[in-house]
Amino acid sequence: MLQELSIKNFAIIDELYLSIEKGLTVLTGETGAGKSIIIDAVNLLVGGRGSSEFVRHGEKKAEIEGLFILNDESHPCYNRANEFGIDIEEGMIILHRDISVSGKSVCRINGKLVTISILREIGSTLIDIHGQHEHQELMNETHHLRLLDQYGGKEIKTALDNYRVIYKQYEQIVSKLKGLSENEQQMAHRLDLIQFQLQEIQKANLQIDEDTILLEEKKKLMNFERLFDSLKTSYGALQGEQKGIDWIGLVMSQLETAAEIEPDFKPLLESVSNCFYILEDAASTIRNDLDSLEFNPERLNEIESRLNEINQLKRKYGGTLEDILEYSSKIEEEIETIINRESHIDKLQITLTQLEKDLYLEAKQLSDLRKKCSKKLINAIHKELKQMYMDKTVFEVKFLQSAEDYKNEGNLPFRKDGLDVVEFYISTNPGEPLKPLNKVASGGELSRMMLALKTIFSKHQGITSIIFDEVDTGVSGRVAQAIGEKIYQVSEHSQVLCISHLPQVAAMADTHLFIMKETIDGRTRTKVKTLELEEKINEVSRMIAGVEITDKAIEHAQELLQLAYAKKFT
């Protein structure tokens, strides 16, 4: 859920901080007070289109920040965040967006800079904003199949997962066949190219770690003079005129005499003796190394030439010798495949035919489950619509294409989600034909239709918060009461923020926020107040009566709140 919202220098809002509770939060207030501006800010926070016009006059930038709490580790936001390398710790995700007067946006998720498209991807899993003319997922027919699958739960998910396992293999085989079926001239050119590349790599006779060994040898040869001088000086210090070892030998001899007199010196004698013999061995090793050292300028040239050859191969075929050898194995296999192309095509065709049979069976089973599930969904939506006095409305899940339409396997339009193409259709009046959901025009009917769908799908979509921006336009009376109850039902599964002018909806609120304008130092700003019970009664009375609040309006408001309380807690 959206737990905290901070808005600064946005339109007529100078600074606003909201702590939003779970359940149903209703925003009311006079027209122009700034209710929709708050929703606009939330829309921008989750990736909506920005503009410099949103920046408060006289300020350099507008800032919006929201803290979301994810209580379910299976929430789709986790997968999306993982795709973009965003860490979510302790179930908290913070979205932040700045909009400058130049119109540029800076977006962050949990402190990480992201593009607007990534912000939109993440935001779509957290908030669904539904307004009178903004229907989002439910009005987009490309989402209907996924919504049906979500409604179907684990049974459809298992069938879809099984289908996708085979579909992935199917895609790989199709891709290989496509590659082998290119025209022969292209294939011949490809064969010439990779044969030349293989010959070039094999001719180089590369050895693992050869470049590392050569670089070490090159370093030694390039620093030959320094190395020789260092070893010569070291040997001289031990065995030359300075006679370092002789002096240590003298110490050892004197300690032998001391140890004969005082046994306590024996451990010290042993230490010095060990050092003496170690240094003798070191001197001998240094002398042998000096004798073996030889500067060979021709060898240095050979190393330079070989390293240059290796680096040229790296630029062509990979950053390391391992990469080059791996590429060599890959093209060697490809050469064999191209030379024996017909044989490979035959084998792949046999495999593809079997996969298509298996895939069709999985698609058929998936399609059957979806059709069974669609009947349950139709009944559930009709039940919801009846409660909102749309009992004459007919809702249908149309399978514009399904596995049943294809009796024979082979050349089927397999897709990632199966063979089904699904779209939601409705008819709102008796005698009228069913039409696609996105063709419905009546505002009041559309509001109720969308609420019925939201009531059902809010349990399955996994959306953290849902915002209704004046979706109750065009309704009144008992329909308004039904809409208020439906919005409350949605809030039982997802946090809901709702802008409304209907007292019936306001009465159902768990939290009632009153939006008002005030003028300070000649500047208008928006202010938000959380209403207590008496204040809530007065506000609902205002929504009923208009400008002048009468005793009758107060009495009616109290009755509405009592009915709402009874509806929520019985």
Side-chain angles (χ1 to χ4, degrees), residues 489-505:
Q489 284 182 32
V490 174
S491 74
E492 292 178 317
H493 303 284
S494 298
Q495 178 192 51
V496 171
L497 280 72
C498 178
I499 292 178
S500 179
H501 293 288
L502 291 179
Q504 294 91 336
V505 175

Side-chain angles (χ1 to χ4, degrees), residues 324-386:
I324 296 172
L325 294 172
E326 184 178 341
Y327 179 74
S328 172
S329 298
K330 180 181 177 182
I331 60 175
E332 190 172 9
E333 183 179 336
E334 186 179 352
I335 288 169
E336 190 276 331
T337 300
I338 294 175
I339 292 174
N340 299 290
R341 184 163 63 103
E342 295 301 327
S343 173
H344 281 281
I345 288 175
D346 290 342
K347 289 179 182 178
L348 288 173
Q349 285 288 7
I350 293 170
T351 303
L352 184 64
T353 300
Q354 184 57 51
L355 279 175
E356 286 178 336
K357 290 179 180 179
D358 295 341
L359 202 54
Y360 176 77
L361 292 175
E362 294 293 343
K364 180 68 168 59
Q365 182 181 3
L366 180 60
S367 187
D368 291 343
L369 287 172
R370 284 169 170 163
K371 288 178 178 178
K372 181 180 176 183
C373 175
S374 70
K375 294 177 182 178
K376 294 180 181 179
L377 177 60
I378 290 168
N379 291 333
I381 287 179
H382 281 159
K383 181 179 178 182
E384 295 292 334
L385 292 175
K386 186 176 181 181

Side-chain angles (χ1 to χ4, degrees), residues 70-343:
L70 306 177
N71 296 320
D72 185 359
E73 292 186 359
S74 64
H75 193 285
C77 184
Y78 280 94
N79 289 333
R80 293 282 179 88
N82 186 56
E83 289 175 11
F84 300 115
I86 298 169
D87 295 326
I88 299 178
E89 296 181 0
E90 299 181 358
M92 294 190 296
I93 184 163
I94 298 173
L95 306 187
H96 184 100
R97 185 171 181 184
D98 295 340
I99 301 175
S100 69
V101 289
S102 65
K104 292 183 179 180
S105 288
V106 177
C107 311
R108 289 183 174 87
I109 300 177
N110 282 355
K112 180 177 180 178
L113 282 169
V114 297
T115 62
I116 292 178
S117 62
I118 292 176
L119 182 69
R120 191 178 299 117
E121 282 276 326
I122 298 293
S124 67
T125 68
L126 298 171
I127 285 185
D128 180 13
I129 300 177
H130 173 62
Q132 184 70 18
H133 301 292
E134 187 175 13
H135 315 315
Q136 295 192 338
E137 281 194 327
L138 294 178
M139 296 302 288
N140 188 338
E141 68 276 6
T142 62
H143 294 300
H144 292 176
L145 181 63
R146 181 170 58 83
L147 290 172
L148 177 62
D149 288 347
Q150 287 178 347
Y151 181 75
K154 290 184 178 180
E155 190 175 22
I156 286 183
K157 182 182 184 302
T158 300
L160 183 57
D161 289 343
N162 293 338
Y163 171 87
R164 283 177 175 170
V165 168
I166 301 175
Y167 180 76
K168 186 176 181 180
Q169 300 172 26
Y170 168 82
E171 274 190 316
Q172 291 171 347
I173 298 298
V174 169
S175 177
K176 288 180 180 179
L177 275 171
K178 183 179 178 182
L180 288 172
S181 301
E182 294 175 347
N183 68 63
E184 291 192 10
Q185 186 177 14
Q186 288 179 334
M187 195 68 70
H189 288 163
R190 174 65 179 168
L191 182 60
D192 286 344
L193 173 63
I194 58 179
Q195 281 180 330
F196 169 78
Q197 291 175 341
L198 181 63
Q199 184 179 5
E200 185 178 28
I201 295 172
Q202 289 178 338
K203 184 180 178 181
N205 193 27
L206 300 173
Q207 305 297 320
I208 296 295
D209 294 331
E210 180 182 0
D211 52 346
T212 303
I213 296 169
L214 288 173
L215 284 170
E216 290 175 356
E217 188 178 356
K218 176 185 175 181
K219 180 181 178 182
K220 182 178 176 180
L221 287 170
M222 290 185 70
N223 293 278
F224 176 83
E225 188 173 339
R226 288 176 58 198
L227 177 62
F228 182 83
D229 288 344
S230 296
L231 291 176
K232 185 177 180 182
T233 302
S234 299
Y235 184 75
L238 292 173
Q239 294 284 35
E241 293 180 0
Q242 299 180 34
K243 296 182 179 178
I245 290 181
D246 288 350
W247 283 109
I248 293 173
L250 177 61
V251 173
M252 183 173 63
S253 175
Q254 293 303 316
L255 283 175
E256 284 176 351
T257 301
E260 290 175 359
I261 299 169
E262 175 53 66
D264 288 346
F265 287 108
K266 284 186 177 181
L268 183 58
L269 172 62
E270 290 179 3
S271 296
V272 173
S273 298
N274 288 336
C275 291
F276 178 80
Y277 295 123
I278 289 171
L279 288 173
E280 268 197 334
D281 289 342
S284 178
T285 301
I286 293 172
R287 185 182 66 247
N288 293 333
D289 287 340
L290 277 169
D291 292 341
S292 64
L293 277 179
E294 181 182 358
F295 179 68
N296 186 350
E298 291 183 2
R299 176 57 183 163
L300 184 59
N301 291 334
E302 289 175 5
I303 292 172
E304 290 281 9
S305 177
R306 180 61 172 172
L307 285 173
N308 184 56
E309 181 183 10
I310 290 172
N311 288 331
Q312 285 182 346
L313 291 174
K314 283 182 180 180
R315 283 192 290 270
K316 290 182 179 181
Y317 308 119
T320 66
L321 291 180
E322 288 80 359
D323 291 339
I324 296 172
L325 294 172
E326 184 178 341
Y327 179 74
S328 172
S329 298
K330 180 181 177 182
I331 60 175
E332 190 172 9
E333 183 179 336
E334 186 179 352
I335 288 169
E336 190 276 331
T337 300
I338 294 175
I339 292 174
N340 299 290
R341 184 163 63 103
E342 295 301 327
S343 173

Side-chain angles (χ1 to χ4, degrees), residues 410-522:
N411 296 321
L412 298 184
F414 291 116
R415 292 176 293 275
K416 184 180 179 181
D417 295 320
L419 288 169
D420 300 319
V421 175
V422 166
E423 188 171 353
F424 297 160
Y425 275 59
I426 63 167
S427 170
T428 55
N429 295 299
E432 291 187 2
L434 287 162
K435 295 180 180 179
L437 184 60
N438 57 13
K439 301 298 182 184
V440 177
S442 168
E445 290 173 337
L446 180 58
S447 295
R448 284 180 280 170
M449 187 68 213
M450 295 303 295
L451 279 173
L453 291 167
K454 286 288 185 186
T455 303
I456 294 169
F457 284 118
S458 62
K459 305 174 186 177
H460 304 279
Q461 285 179 296
I463 299 293
T464 299
S465 303
I466 298 173
I467 294 177
F468 292 117
D469 187 3
E470 299 187 18
V471 296
D472 46 28
T473 301
V475 298
S476 59
R478 63 176 187 173
V479 174
Q481 182 64 38
I483 282 183
E485 292 173 6
K486 280 299 156 198
I487 291 176
Y488 179 78
Q489 284 182 32
V490 174
S491 74
E492 292 178 317
H493 303 284
S494 298
Q495 178 192 51
V496 171
L497 280 72
C498 178
I499 292 178
S500 179
H501 293 288
L502 291 179
Q504 294 91 336
V505 175
M508 296 297 297
D510 296 309
T511 304
H512 191 147
L513 301 179
F514 180 66
I515 317 299
M516 68 190 89
K517 285 193 298 187
E518 61 181 8
T519 303
I520 298 178
D521 297 330

